[in-house]
């Protein structure tokens, strides 16, 4: 590897070297054909590999979101997901997946919590390492992100995360350090924000001194998209500016940096060497011809997504127990809630993919319930911010019986002449990122999205149009909604009532244009029938006459997304009212929640059971049904603390920030560390989750009572399934420093193991404690310190349920 790279490096001209340190476009690096240096392609993740198109030109497998992966507490499973995502990435002709996201759940409100594994740096680092190992074992590069302290969306392009050295090292850098040392990711992405006043993409201390120096990271550092802000990005550790073409790492600024002495030619060579090394690692030199994008709906991926979804589901309450349901019992099941019919399978933003298909919870329950079960549905209450997309069953490609929408692209802005390209979409929603519009290199363009609409019932409907750009809607050649001359960067929804007749075929056409260069455009059309009655009344009546009521509630990608934070922990709309009214008429009410972060549950004492299903990917409905009917044990445990109220969370006073700064004033006391120290009881603690069986912990033992800094101690515990069913358990090891010179949390997670036991089965779980597990970071040294003295090993089922403990001494 080294000889080939050094030979190429010696042959490159200065201009060619400069060309290589910025992307060619939104998704590719620059090629140097003269020397046989190919371009490589990146694609968004972490819960799928999207490819160039956001619109389903080539669909993708949609896996459970990052926090759901974290909730499995199963690194081996996450490694398998990484392997599958490598296949998905190759399907999109890409070499690097922009994943995993390993930022910390600092506040329940952070918009991208759903992408991240946990509030805990150890759990995050272990899961990230497993993900990276699986991905890179199949020849696809991981891009661990966002480095670092990118823990909210508020003013995300400018905010300074002001954080002390100890929490920076022990909480926010630690998962990156663990993953880099254990799994050696080939690339890393700098964050949008500033850290203590310095932009992440030009932060020499983080990128050069710590990442490349202390940690000996030999991979490529790329910017987040448009995440460079000044010419200082040329000379402080950033290797690749994305997307291209270059804004700061261009010929003018790089030559100026060399002339000033800010950037040496040796440092420029190091950037290029890292890129060439990455091209070699992902097989770019061996296979320089770009692969065409394709969609492969693999049965093995379907099964893996379903299994991962079930393993992530956290059972929070189960009185009676009402769960699991018996599919062979003669019963009427009321399924209630918008999320039962419009499945919430992923969060919003850059992680979105166009899935091969979606199994809704309603479909999953109906497929799993036996012939003796009657499953009825009521929406209860809509929770849409915008009117929902047109149901694919209601629309046809114009002039055909094929479900879908035709989209025609034009190089002009008045949609005149013949289209230059035609594609098909699942519904009337499309978005575009970067200068490349689908597969057309267009900075300005227009598009017509058209379909035949076949309403299933006559009546009044609300038609909605929202766009970033300019758009208008025609219904049978009548202009019904017009945003053709509005401000471009808007996105707000305009609604218009229309009357439709069942059985009549309407031609619905949306015209969209983008007249200026830009990097984000979108259009969406929604349709919703008006009704005079209260849909909650219908749901309550259904629940009252049913044996069991399952209410699907929570959030969607409209409420949890990249680009904005949540405003509170409440369920949007009238969902709390719906749950309470259903529970009042049916004592066997089960609530299934979709969310990527904590929610308040004011109705918790009124319902029989609560299951947290996160956003489970394309097999979400089947995975939920597997758990509800006991085919799978609820295998998830909380990777983040659920507080009783927003004001209880440790970041509350210092969130989201002001005047361009956010103070990480809670220091080390993030998540359960804070609730322990303050004595604040959460709604559900970190690590919590019920099973359909019970487990007993016995016989905690240590391999020694003392250890030296260069030694390890093993901690063993016997765990028995004392219940009547097979079940999954997550055994958690925490360590307490009994007396430290500097402030330390009451306990910290240092090990975990997921086990599956048959009724009556016992297994021994063993952990290893080394010096690092006992260390804290002391800025005065500076470095990691493990002080001699007493420590306590604590083993339990959650941070608040410690079953056994034993002291030992570091000498």
């Amino acid at each position: 590897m080294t000889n080939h790279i050094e030979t190429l490096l010696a042959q490159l001209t200065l201009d060619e070297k400069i060309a290589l340190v910025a992307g060619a476009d939104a998704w590719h690096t620059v090629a140097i054909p003269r020397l046989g240096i190919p371009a490589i392609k990146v694609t968004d993740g972490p819960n799928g590999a999207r490819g160039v198109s956001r619109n389903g030109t080539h669909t993708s497998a949609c896996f459970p979101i990052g926090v759901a992966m974290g909730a499995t507490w199963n690194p081996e499973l996450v490694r398998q997901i990484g392997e599958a995502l490598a296949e998905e990435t190759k399907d999109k002709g890409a070499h690097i997946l922009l994943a995993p996201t390993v930022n910390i759940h600092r506040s329940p409100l952070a918009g991208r919590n759903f992408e991240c594994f946990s509030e805990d740096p150890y759990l995050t680092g272990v899961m990230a390492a497993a993900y990276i190992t699986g991905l890179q074992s199949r020849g696809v590069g991981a891009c661990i992100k966002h480095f670092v302290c990118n823990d909210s969306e508020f003013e995300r392009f400018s905010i300074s995360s002001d954080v002390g050295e100890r929490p920076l090292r022990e909480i926010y850098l630690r998962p990156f350090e663990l993953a880099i040392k254990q799994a050696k990711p080939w690339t890393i992405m700098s964050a949008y924000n500033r850290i203590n006043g310095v932009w992440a993409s030009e932060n020499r201390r983080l990128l050069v001194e710590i990442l490349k120096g202390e940690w000996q990271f030999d991979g490529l550092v790329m910017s987040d998209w448009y995440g460079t802000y000044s010419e200082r990005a040329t000379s402080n550790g950033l290797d690749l500016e994305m997307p291209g073409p270059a804004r700061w790492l261009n010929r003018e600024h790089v030559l100026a940096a060399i002339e000033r002495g800010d950037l040496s030619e040796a440092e420029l060579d190091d950037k290029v060497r890292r890129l060439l090394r990455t091209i070699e690692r992902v097989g770019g030199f061996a296979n320089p011809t770009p692969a065409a994008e394709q969609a492969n709906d693999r049965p093995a991926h379907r099964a893996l997504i379903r299994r991962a979804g079930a393993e992530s589901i956290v059972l929070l309450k189960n009185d009676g127990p009402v769960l699991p349901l018996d599919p062979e019992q003669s019963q009427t099941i009321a399924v209630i809630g918008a999320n039962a019919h419009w499945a919430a399978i992923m969060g919003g933003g850059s992680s979105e993919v166009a899935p091969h298909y979606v199994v809704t919870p309603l479909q999953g329950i109906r497929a799993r319930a036996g012939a003796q079960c009657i499953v009825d549905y009521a929406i209860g209450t809509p929770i849409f911010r915008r009117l929902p997309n047109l149901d694919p069953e209601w629309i046809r490609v114009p002039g055909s019986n094929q479900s879908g929408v035709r989209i025609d692209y034009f190089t002009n802005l008045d949609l005149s002449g013949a289209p230059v390209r035609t594609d098909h979409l699942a519904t009337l929603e499309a978005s575009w990122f970067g200068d490349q519009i689908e597969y057309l290199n267009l900075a300005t363009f227009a598009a017509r999205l058209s379909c035949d609409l076949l309403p299933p019932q006559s009546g009044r409907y609300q038609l909605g149009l929202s766009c970033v750009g300019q758009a208008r809607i025609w219904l049978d050649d009548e202009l019904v909604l017009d945003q053709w001359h509005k401000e471009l960067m808007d996105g707000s929804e305009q609604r218009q009532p229309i009357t439709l007749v069942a059985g009549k075929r309407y031609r619905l056409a949306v015209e969209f244009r983008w007249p200026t260069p830009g990097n984000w455009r979108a259009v969406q059309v929604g349709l919703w029938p008006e009704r005079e009655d209260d849909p909650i009344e219908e749901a309550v009546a259904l629940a009252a006459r049913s044996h069991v009521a399952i209410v699907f509630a929570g959030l969607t990608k409209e409420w949890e997304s990249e680009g904005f934070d949540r405003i509170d922990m409440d369920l949007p709309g009238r969902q709390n009212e719906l749950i309470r009214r259903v529970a009042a008429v049916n004592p066997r009410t089960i609530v299934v929640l979709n969310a990527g972060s904590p929610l308040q549950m004011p109705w918790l004492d009124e319902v029989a059971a609560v299951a947290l299903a996160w956003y489970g990917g394309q097999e979400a409905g089947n995975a939920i049904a597997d758990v509800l009917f006991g085919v799978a044990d609820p295998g998830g445990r909380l990777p983040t603390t659920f507080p009783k109220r927003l004001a209880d969370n440790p970041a509350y006073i210092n969130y989201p920030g002001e005047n361009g700064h956010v103070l990480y004033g809670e220091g080390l006391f993030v998540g359960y560390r804070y609730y322990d120290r303050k004595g604040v009881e959460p709604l559900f603690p970190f690590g919590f989750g019920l099973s359909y069986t019970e487990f007993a912990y016995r016989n905690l033992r240590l391999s020694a009572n003392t250890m030296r800094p260069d030694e390890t101690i093993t901690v063993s515990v016997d765990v028995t399934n004392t219940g009547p069913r097979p079940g999954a358990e997550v055994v958690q090891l925490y360590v307490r420093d009994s007396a430290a010179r500097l402030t330390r949390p009451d306990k910290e997670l240092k090990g975990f193991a997921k086990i599956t036991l048959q009724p009556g089965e016992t297994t021994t779980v063993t952990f290893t404690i080394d010096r690092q597990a006992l260390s804290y970071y002391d800025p005065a040294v500076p470095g990691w310190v493990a002080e001699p003295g007493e420590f306590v090993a604590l083993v339990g089922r959650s941070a608040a349920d410690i079953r056994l403990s034993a002291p030992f001494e570091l000498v």
Side-chain angles (χ1 to χ4, degrees):
M1 180 192 295
T2 301
N3 290 340
H4 181 219
I5 289 174
E6 294 304 321
T7 299
L8 289 173
L9 194 57
Q11 294 176 293
L12 285 164
T13 67
L14 180 59
D15 281 348
E16 287 171 336
K17 291 176 183 178
I18 294 171
L20 286 170
V21 298
D25 55 32
W27 308 113
H28 296 85
T29 62
V30 169
I32 308 292
R34 180 180 73 85
L35 296 175
I37 298 174
I40 57 173
K41 180 180 178 181
V42 305
T43 189
D44 266 323
N47 52 274
R50 185 178 61 241
V52 170
S53 174
R54 304 180 67 91
N55 301 318
T57 303
H58 299 289
T59 55
S60 306
C62 182
F63 287 77
I65 57 172
V67 69
M69 295 186 211
T72 69
W73 291 66
N74 188 340
E76 172 57 24
L77 175 61
V78 171
R79 184 191 63 78
Q80 293 174 31
I81 291 174
E83 291 178 349
L85 285 168
E87 294 181 297
E88 291 289 321
T89 303
K90 291 178 180 179
D91 285 344
K92 298 304 181 280
H95 304 86
I96 294 171
L97 185 65
L98 302 177
T101 307
V102 300
N103 298 109
I104 293 295
H105 297 170
R106 177 175 173 255
S107 163
L109 302 185
R112 293 179 85 168
N113 277 346
F114 67 89
E115 276 189 51
C116 311
F117 293 116
S118 174
E119 71 184 27
D120 180 77
Y122 179 81
L123 177 58
T124 298
V126 170
M127 302 305 265
Y131 185 109
I132 294 163
T133 298
L135 191 66
Q136 295 188 168
S137 71
R138 301 297 176 91
V140 170
C143 183
I144 189 170
K145 63 185 186 182
H146 308 87
F147 193 68
V148 65
C149 296
N150 187 179
D151 306 306
S152 67
E153 295 299 280
F154 176 73
E155 297 180 355
R156 65 179 180 149
F157 298 112
S158 59
I159 198 79
S160 174
S161 300
D162 297 342
V163 56
E165 184 70 3
R166 285 194 67 201
L168 178 63
R169 292 281 192 161
E170 295 187 33
I171 303 295
Y172 301 100
L173 287 176
R174 187 64 180 146
F176 288 93
E177 183 180 9
L178 282 168
I180 286 168
K181 290 182 176 179
Q182 291 180 18
K184 296 180 172 52
W186 296 337
T187 69
I188 190 171
M189 184 187 294
S190 62
Y192 281 130
N193 52 287
R194 295 177 291 155
I195 300 95
N196 295 323
V198 181
W199 300 110
S201 58
E202 56 190 55
N203 197 309
R204 188 171 190 83
R205 179 162 182 270
L206 291 172
L207 299 183
V208 177
E209 295 175 14
I210 294 176
L211 178 64
K212 296 179 177 179
E214 290 181 29
W215 299 352
Q216 294 294 293
F217 176 70
D218 70 351
L220 179 78
V221 180
M222 70 177 75
S223 72
D224 204 341
W225 269 230
Y226 304 101
T228 50
Y229 306 98
S230 81
E231 62 185 10
R232 289 186 294 274
T234 60
S235 53
N236 288 293
L238 185 70
D239 302 317
L240 179 67
E241 181 182 30
M242 289 300 288
R247 295 166 308 286
W248 296 106
L249 270 66
N250 57 21
R251 189 175 189 276
E252 174 189 355
H253 290 109
V254 172
L255 288 177
I258 292 173
E259 184 176 338
R260 289 193 308 270
D262 293 340
L263 178 70
S264 68
E265 288 200 45
E267 289 172 318
L268 177 60
D269 284 352
D270 181 66
K271 298 178 188 293
V272 176
R273 185 180 291 110
R274 288 170 183 270
L275 175 62
L276 296 176
R277 186 183 296 141
T278 303
I279 295 173
E280 183 116 79
R281 283 171 166 168
V282 301
F285 290 119
N287 298 287
T289 303
E293 291 198 8
Q294 56 183 310
N296 284 317
D297 182 7
R298 295 177 173 86
H301 291 185
R302 291 183 171 211
L304 180 60
I305 293 167
R306 184 170 182 167
R307 176 190 161 201
E311 281 211 36
S312 75
I313 293 174
V314 184
L315 185 60
L316 298 174
K317 181 179 181 180
N318 191 20
D319 285 354
V322 66
L323 290 173
L325 302 174
D326 182 355
E328 302 307 320
Q329 180 182 340
S330 177
Q331 59 184 322
T332 301
I333 301 174
V335 178
I336 296 167
N339 281 0
H341 182 71
W342 292 270
I345 68 167
M346 55 187 160
S350 62
S351 66
E352 289 184 63
V353 300
H356 296 313
Y357 62 90
V358 176
V359 180
T360 71
L362 181 59
Q363 290 169 334
I365 290 170
R366 282 179 167 157
R368 176 58 67 185
Q372 303 302 313
C373 295
I374 298 173
V375 179
D376 288 329
Y377 173 74
I379 186 174
T381 181
I383 62 170
F384 316 113
R385 297 187 100 158
R386 301 178 306 182
L387 297 179
N389 288 338
L390 276 74
D391 192 318
E393 295 183 1
W394 297 12
I395 56 177
R396 302 289 184 271
V397 174
S400 78
N401 288 320
Q402 175 189 347
S403 176
V405 173
R406 186 179 70 219
I407 178 168
D408 297 315
Y409 289 99
F410 299 83
T411 56
N412 54 66
L413 296 178
D414 60 2
L415 296 93
S416 60
V420 295
R421 181 183 174 93
T422 297
D423 283 324
H424 291 88
L425 309 175
T427 189
L428 282 172
E429 180 178 26
S431 60
W432 304 270
F433 178 80
D435 294 332
Q436 192 169 343
I437 307 308
E438 296 302 273
Y439 301 92
L440 304 171
N441 189 20
L442 302 177
T444 63
F445 73 102
R448 179 182 293 115
L449 294 77
S450 55
C451 65
D452 287 349
L453 174 63
L454 289 74
Q457 58 191 39
S458 300
R460 296 273 287 178
Y461 291 78
Q462 285 289 329
L463 182 69
L465 170 65
S466 57
C467 67
V468 178
Q470 297 171 331
R472 57 192 177 191
I473 298 180
W474 302 87
L475 185 65
D476 281 349
D477 299 323
E478 178 186 352
L479 182 64
V480 291
L481 276 171
D482 189 358
Q483 297 187 20
W484 202 240
H485 301 286
K486 77 174 189 71
E487 294 294 325
L488 293 177
M489 296 302 292
D490 188 335
S492 60
E493 184 179 51
Q494 180 184 356
R495 296 182 180 182
Q496 174 67 38
I498 60 174
T499 300
L500 299 175
V501 177
K504 183 177 178 180
R505 192 165 183 139
Y506 298 85
R507 178 62 53 86
L508 188 62
V510 184
E511 295 177 342
F512 175 86
R513 67 182 179 184
W514 183 267
T516 62
N519 59 53
W520 176 250
R521 314 104 168 142
V523 63
Q524 187 259 353
V525 175
L527 186 68
W528 187 249
E530 293 182 354
R531 53 188 295 176
E532 296 180 359
D533 62 324
D534 184 352
I536 290 184
E537 296 286 352
E538 177 191 21
V540 171
L542 174 61
R545 63 177 184 266
S546 300
H547 293 94
V548 62
I550 309 174
V551 182
F552 285 82
L555 308 174
T556 68
K557 68 179 184 179
E558 290 190 287
W559 301 97
E560 264 189 300
S561 174
E562 177 182 5
F564 59 87
D565 292 329
R566 295 164 60 198
I567 60 171
D568 54 39
M569 295 198 317
D570 295 336
L571 290 173
R574 299 171 64 194
Q575 292 183 93
N576 285 332
E577 177 189 354
L578 171 66
I579 293 169
R580 281 184 148 149
R581 291 181 62 183
V582 168
V585 300
N586 193 318
R588 291 168 54 84
T589 294
I590 302 159
V591 177
V592 180
L593 294 170
N594 293 118
S597 50
L599 296 167
Q600 290 193 151
M601 305 178 201
W603 34 259
L604 182 61
D605 293 338
E606 303 165 39
V607 301
V610 181
L612 178 60
W614 312 104
Y615 305 129
Q618 66 191 33
E619 283 282 335
N622 283 332
I624 290 168
D626 286 346
V627 169
L628 292 178
F629 288 97
V631 177
D633 198 50
R637 303 294 184 266
L638 289 180
T640 195
T641 305
F642 274 47
K644 289 183 176 179
R645 56 181 192 146
L646 182 60
D648 289 343
N649 92 84
Y652 180 72
I653 291 175
N654 293 302
Y655 192 91
E658 57 187 23
N659 292 332
H661 292 261
V662 54
L663 177 64
Y664 283 41
E666 66 279 6
L668 297 171
F669 295 95
V670 176
Y672 66 88
R673 293 162 168 80
Y674 173 86
Y675 296 94
D676 281 352
R677 179 55 57 92
K678 289 286 289 184
V680 174
E681 183 182 7
L683 187 65
F684 294 106
F686 175 82
F688 178 82
L690 302 175
S691 169
Y692 289 151
T693 189
E694 298 293 333
F695 298 92
Y697 287 59
R698 300 186 182 91
N699 194 22
L700 179 68
R701 53 207 182 272
L702 307 181
S703 60
N705 294 322
T706 62
M707 66 174 280
R708 298 182 184 279
D710 59 347
E711 297 176 336
T712 62
I713 279 182
T714 58
V715 179
S716 299
V717 62
D718 296 335
V719 182
T720 303
N721 180 348
T722 59
R725 301 172 56 92
E729 176 68 323
V730 177
V731 184
Q732 301 163 40
L733 169 70
Y734 298 83
V735 172
R736 172 183 298 140
D737 189 344
S738 297
R741 182 169 52 86
L742 301 186
T743 299
R744 301 199 70 177
D746 294 0
K747 60 177 175 290
E748 299 172 272
L749 182 71
K750 296 299 178 181
F752 59 89
K754 190 165 196 177
I755 56 174
T756 300
L757 298 177
Q758 297 298 314
E761 183 182 2
T762 298
T763 193
T764 299
V765 178
T766 300
F767 303 101
T768 299
I769 295 176
D770 60 11
R771 180 183 185 275
Q772 181 59 53
L774 308 180
S775 300
Y776 62 85
Y777 192 85
D778 185 352
V781 172
W784 291 92
V785 174
E787 285 183 337
E790 183 185 80
F791 292 82
V792 182
L794 308 124
V795 175
R797 302 195 69 238
S798 77
D801 186 5
I802 301 301
R803 298 295 178 90
L804 299 168
S805 64
F808 64 94
E809 189 172 359
L810 178 66
V811 296

